């Protein structure tokens, strides 16, 4: 819960008790961060579906991974760096369009950080990209980093 400040684990037994006691669909959430965990939670709770939150931050492909696994039992391969780059650049373009350049650049920072959380060189990249104040330069820096290029090339 919010009171837990994202500490501890989701209470799947409680969700299962609720599912058993009501006649309406109940959706489970909390700590679902992989296709296998999604299947486990659905089996263990009897929930009608799942809500995914933090696990999708910087990993929007988690939904197709879960859908594939639930349908076939097979895991999808990780997206290529080129696919991640294309998704993130599209995401950034949407943020700039929705919020305007100044606000879009600010909102984009946290999304960029989520997308690069598992990438080598992320700390140096994050230090550089967090100081950028315009969309063109921010986008170029992201494109360079997710193309495997040197950071200085984007500056």
């Amino acid at each position: 819960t919010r009171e837990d400040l994202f500490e501890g684990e989701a209470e799947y037994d409680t969700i299962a008790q609720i599912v058993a006691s009501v006649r309406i669909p109940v959706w489970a959430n909390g700590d679902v961060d992989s296709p296998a965990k999604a299947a486990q939670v659905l089996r263990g709770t009897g929930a009608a579906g799942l809500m995914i939150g933090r696990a999708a931050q910087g990993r929007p492909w988690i939904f197709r991974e879960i859908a594939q696994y639930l349908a076939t039992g097979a895991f999808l391969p990780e997206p290529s760096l080129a696919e991640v780059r294309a998704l993130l650049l599209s995401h950034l373009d949407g943020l700039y369009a929705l919020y305007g350049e100044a606000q879009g650049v600010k909102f984009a920072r946290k999304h960029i950080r989520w997308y690069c959380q598992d990438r080598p060189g992320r700390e140096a990249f994050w230090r550089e990209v967090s100081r950028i104040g315009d969309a063109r330069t921010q986008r170029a820096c992201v494109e360079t980093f997710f193309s495997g290029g040197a950071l200085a090339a984007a500056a």
Side-chain angles (χ1 to χ4, degrees), residues 19-37:
V19 167
S21 68
V22 299
R23 294 172 133 179
I24 60 172
V26 175
W27 288 59
N29 73 312
D31 304 324
V32 177
D33 59 3
S34 70
K37 184 69 176 259

Side-chain angles (χ1 to χ4, degrees), residues 4-110:
D4 292 333
L5 301 174
F6 302 112
E7 298 291 326
E9 296 182 12
E11 297 180 31
Y12 301 124
D13 291 340
T14 302
I15 295 170
Q17 290 172 4
I18 293 168
V19 167
S21 68
V22 299
R23 294 172 133 179
I24 60 172
V26 175
W27 288 59
N29 73 312
D31 304 324
V32 177
D33 59 3
S34 70
K37 184 69 176 259
Q40 174 191 346
V41 170
L42 287 171
R43 271 192 316 272
T45 64
L50 297 169
M51 293 185 288
I52 310 290
R54 287 175 288 144
Q57 294 173 330
R59 286 188 62 215
W61 51 88
I62 192 171
F63 300 102
R64 72 176 182 212
E65 291 175 338
I66 289 171
Q68 171 74 18
Y69 185 78
L70 293 177
T72 69
F75 291 99
L76 288 174
E78 287 291 317
S80 69
L81 190 59
E83 184 179 2
V84 173
R85 181 184 65 238
L87 285 167
L88 177 51
L89 291 173
S90 176
H91 194 159
L92 295 179
D93 291 341
L95 290 169
Y96 304 148
L98 180 63
Y99 295 108
E101 182 171 351
Q103 285 299 103
V105 166
K106 289 178 185 175
F107 282 122
R109 289 176 183 149
K110 67 182 173 186

